[in-house]
Amino acid sequence: MVLQPSERHYRDWNHRRLGPWCSPTGSPAPLSCETGCGEGSWILVCRLLVPTQVSLLSMEEDIDTRKINNSFLRDHSYATEADIISTVEFNHTGELLATGDKGGRVVIFQREQESKNQVHRRGEYNVYSTFQSHEPEFDYLKSLEIEEKINKIRWLPQQNAAYFLLSTNDKTVKLWKVSERDKRPEGYNLKDEEGRLRDPATITTLRVPVLRPMDLMVEATPRRVFANAHTYHINSISVNSDYETYMSADDLRINLWNFEITNQSFNIVDIKPANMEELTEVITAAEFHPHHCNTFVYSSSKGTIRLCDMRASALCDRHTKFFEEPEDPSNRSFFSEIISSISDVKFSHSGRYIMTRDYLTVKVWDLNMENRPIETYQVHDYLRSKLCSLYENDCIFDKFECVWNGSDSVIMTGSYNNFFRMFDRNTKRDVTLEASRENSKPRAILKPRKVCVGGKRRKDEISVDSLDFSKKILHTAWHPSENIIAVAATNNLYIFQDKVN
């Protein structure tokens, strides 16, 4: 039986085979020092929790589910493993924000409508809908449990009154339709008021059915189920710019799907060797170009990025461009290959740049320059001396995501101790902020945090030895056109916006 090359398996076979080494509303506005990375520039809009029970949000309940917001809070110590948020994603307008958790649930938040009397509520989100996307399964042929955890969520552009999104666990991708209903039909001829069939012999007159107003109901219905196409765990899904196809990527293969066809997909990348003992790398992330439907990029556990063009051949075994930075021999160590593994890759909105996140850095690559990145940002370089302990507690295999702001001028990624980092590409300034329950009062101003590596510690600094590695910001999202960000910390969802004077 071939083992799944997951993080722990990858660690085991990788080191066993290779051994240790010798050595504001409107168009996007660029964030400046004053609006993006300056002290006190971000404020907390609201703190939300992913509900533990879907029944709380059932429309049959007597509560107004769309008004569950800041009051729906509890201590995160009561959160179970199923409550941990596993993905966060804004839709294309930023009016909706979807989260998926390890329990297979999808919770959608809707932005509060702005009014003249409630200008201060700009950016506040309330629960809009929630549904169970995936259930736990068991593969009897391989004797494997398939978790219900939601790995990724991707929105489709809105074409009508309904919303569509893709959600995936390790094996199955589903297309969901989220729609509103505020009217119900009445006056059936063949049914009575309770929905039971009437005897046709008793029908003497015909009635014209009418639509009656009813309380607003938000329904989520599965429209497509794309299954049985992946042997290994799905780590990425990406919607193509033609909006007719999307791709799903696992550890060794990338498949191309048509939204209308569920029983067939096209394999466009396959890096599985004939002998699994010869396996040296796995696919870690993949994404389509935002404008060119024939171009996509995928990253590997070796720290490399491959740009592929589907016009070249049906199977993209040969890449068009290959991005790799030569390793600095002075920094080579036992953990070099592990920390160089890319956990996330994102095209810029313009399509000119690629951003990648490895364990310690965020890099920006120009599509026209393959030999090295044009920008490298140190996220938490103070952890370089602690890689041994991070290896022992498996934190070194954490997969951090990274995001662009709407104008591609600022990038954001997460760290430990519920810290998240922002880097201004124009001014080269950066800031460390914290999403914590202690600062969870609405409209609270975030203060920059600093980590002290050694020596004398200042009053506002935190020692690197005091960092809590169980608190980590793995998943973040940035509003497509405004300076509003969503940060997932365990089962808490923090929404921040830049301070408006």
Side-chain angles (χ1 to χ4, degrees), residues 15-16 79 89 125 129 134 210 218 238 320 383 401 427 479:
H15 288 275
R16 182 175 67 249
E89 187 78 9
Y125 286 75
S129 176
H134 288 73
V210 296
V218 181
S238 179
T320 305
L383 296 181
E401 297 177 1
T427 63
H479 191 286

Side-chain angles (χ1 to χ4, degrees), residues 146-411:
I146 302 174
E147 292 182 336
E148 65 272 33
K149 172 191 170 186
I150 305 299
N151 292 337
K152 295 290 179 182
I153 290 175
R154 290 292 181 265
W155 290 91
L156 276 67
Q158 188 176 6
Q159 304 292 338
N160 49 43
Y163 303 97
F164 291 86
L165 61 87
L166 288 171
S167 64
T168 183
N169 66 347
D170 287 339
K171 299 293 183 181
T172 305
V173 183
K174 295 183 180 181
L175 175 65
W176 290 87
K177 177 183 178 181
V178 182
S179 56
E180 296 181 357
R181 187 152 60 95
D182 58 359
K183 294 181 175 62
R184 66 170 178 265
E186 291 183 358
Y188 288 104
N189 289 285
L190 300 179
K191 295 180 181 180
D192 58 20
E193 299 302 326
E194 297 181 0
R196 293 173 299 196
L197 289 176
R198 299 170 58 187
D199 184 359
T202 62
I203 301 176
T204 57
T205 59
L206 293 179
R207 295 185 296 177
V208 178
V210 296
L211 294 175
R212 301 291 186 189
M214 58 174 285
D215 292 337
L216 180 66
M217 180 187 299
V218 181
E219 298 176 319
T221 54
R223 300 303 301 270
R224 303 281 189 276
V225 177
F226 307 89
N228 305 321
H230 286 277
T231 305
Y232 306 99
H233 292 173
I234 299 174
N235 54 51
S236 302
I237 51 175
S238 179
V239 179
N240 202 346
S241 58
D242 61 10
Y243 303 134
E244 295 180 359
T245 58
Y246 78 93
M247 69 177 175
S248 56
D250 65 23
D251 294 328
L252 297 179
R253 296 186 180 95
I254 299 178
N255 294 332
L256 180 68
W257 300 82
N258 187 292
F259 280 112
E260 301 300 324
I261 303 173
T262 60
N263 60 354
Q264 185 180 19
S265 64
F266 298 93
N267 181 227
I268 55 177
V269 172
D270 188 348
I271 66 170
K272 181 180 179 181
N275 182 3
M276 285 294 285
E277 288 296 324
E278 299 175 359
L279 183 63
T280 60
E281 62 179 337
V282 294
I283 299 171
T284 56
E287 187 176 61
F288 268 119
H289 192 282
H291 309 304
H292 303 314
C293 62
N294 55 281
T295 306
F296 67 94
V297 68
Y298 70 92
S299 58
S300 81
S301 57
K302 276 191 164 183
T304 61
I305 309 105
R306 292 172 174 86
L307 183 73
C308 299
D309 191 335
M310 291 189 291
R311 297 173 299 183
S313 63
L315 185 62
C316 299
D317 283 339
R318 296 182 179 179
H319 48 265
T320 305
K321 292 189 176 184
F322 183 77
F323 302 86
E324 183 179 23
E325 183 179 23
E327 184 181 7
D328 185 357
S330 62
N331 290 331
R332 203 170 194 186
S333 69
F334 178 82
F335 307 103
S336 293
E337 185 166 336
I338 300 178
I339 63 175
S340 65
S341 176
I342 296 175
S343 58
D344 196 17
V345 59
K346 294 281 176 61
F347 272 106
S348 62
H349 294 84
S350 65
R352 171 69 185 275
Y353 304 103
I354 300 173
M355 174 171 55
T356 60
R357 170 69 203 266
D358 56 43
Y359 190 68
L360 295 179
T361 65
V362 172
K363 298 175 182 177
V364 178
W365 303 76
D366 192 315
L367 288 184
N368 298 323
M369 189 167 68
E370 304 174 48
N371 59 341
R372 61 182 177 86
I374 59 173
E375 300 166 21
T376 300
Y377 301 97
Q378 299 294 333
V379 179
H380 39 217
D381 197 54
Y382 46 79
L383 296 181
R384 193 176 293 273
S385 61
K386 294 188 171 295
L387 293 179
C388 186
S389 59
L390 292 168
Y391 178 85
E392 292 298 326
N393 61 19
D394 281 350
C395 285
I396 201 170
F397 302 104
D398 288 334
K399 296 182 177 180
F400 293 94
E401 297 177 1
C402 53
V403 291
W404 303 86
N405 73 331
S407 61
D408 300 332
S409 61
V410 180
I411 57 182

Side-chain angles (χ1 to χ4, degrees), residues 22-208:
C22 296
S23 49
T25 308
S27 59
L31 292 183
S32 64
C33 298
E34 291 73 29
T35 61
C37 294
E39 183 173 355
S41 58
W42 288 89
I43 59 176
L44 176 68
V45 178
C46 54
R47 169 178 169 249
L48 304 150
L49 253 76
V50 173
T52 52
Q53 298 294 333
V54 175
S55 60
L56 287 175
L57 297 174
S58 173
M59 287 303 170
E60 284 76 26
E61 297 289 336
D62 295 329
I63 58 175
D64 185 357
T65 60
R66 301 185 64 187
K67 296 302 179 183
I68 301 177
N69 45 32
N70 298 341
S71 61
F72 190 59
L73 296 176
R74 64 182 181 281
D75 194 308
H76 87 286
S77 61
Y78 291 98
T80 64
E81 182 76 11
D83 298 324
I84 297 176
I85 299 174
S86 55
T87 184
V88 183
E89 187 78 9
F90 279 102
N91 73 338
H92 289 73
T93 63
E95 294 303 307
L96 297 180
L97 174 64
T99 66
D101 63 24
K102 289 188 175 182
R105 296 177 294 259
V106 172
V107 181
I108 302 175
F109 301 92
Q110 185 181 50
R111 189 176 184 180
E112 188 74 19
Q113 295 298 319
E114 191 172 335
S115 64
K116 294 182 179 179
N117 298 329
Q118 295 178 324
V119 179
H120 68 283
R121 299 188 71 173
R122 181 178 75 91
E124 185 169 324
Y125 286 75
N126 296 315
V127 172
Y128 177 67
S129 176
T130 186
F131 55 92
Q132 188 73 31
S133 175
H134 288 73
E135 299 282 355
E137 301 175 33
F138 188 81
D139 189 333
Y140 292 96
L141 294 177
K142 297 180 180 179
S143 297
L144 290 175
E145 292 184 1
I146 302 174
E147 292 182 336
E148 65 272 33
K149 172 191 170 186
I150 305 299
N151 292 337
K152 295 290 179 182
I153 290 175
R154 290 292 181 265
W155 290 91
L156 276 67
Q158 188 176 6
Q159 304 292 338
N160 49 43
Y163 303 97
F164 291 86
L165 61 87
L166 288 171
S167 64
T168 183
N169 66 347
D170 287 339
K171 299 293 183 181
T172 305
V173 183
K174 295 183 180 181
L175 175 65
W176 290 87
K177 177 183 178 181
V178 182
S179 56
E180 296 181 357
R181 187 152 60 95
D182 58 359
K183 294 181 175 62
R184 66 170 178 265
E186 291 183 358
Y188 288 104
N189 289 285
L190 300 179
K191 295 180 181 180
D192 58 20
E193 299 302 326
E194 297 181 0
R196 293 173 299 196
L197 289 176
R198 299 170 58 187
D199 184 359
T202 62
I203 301 176
T204 57
T205 59
L206 293 179
R207 295 185 296 177
V208 178

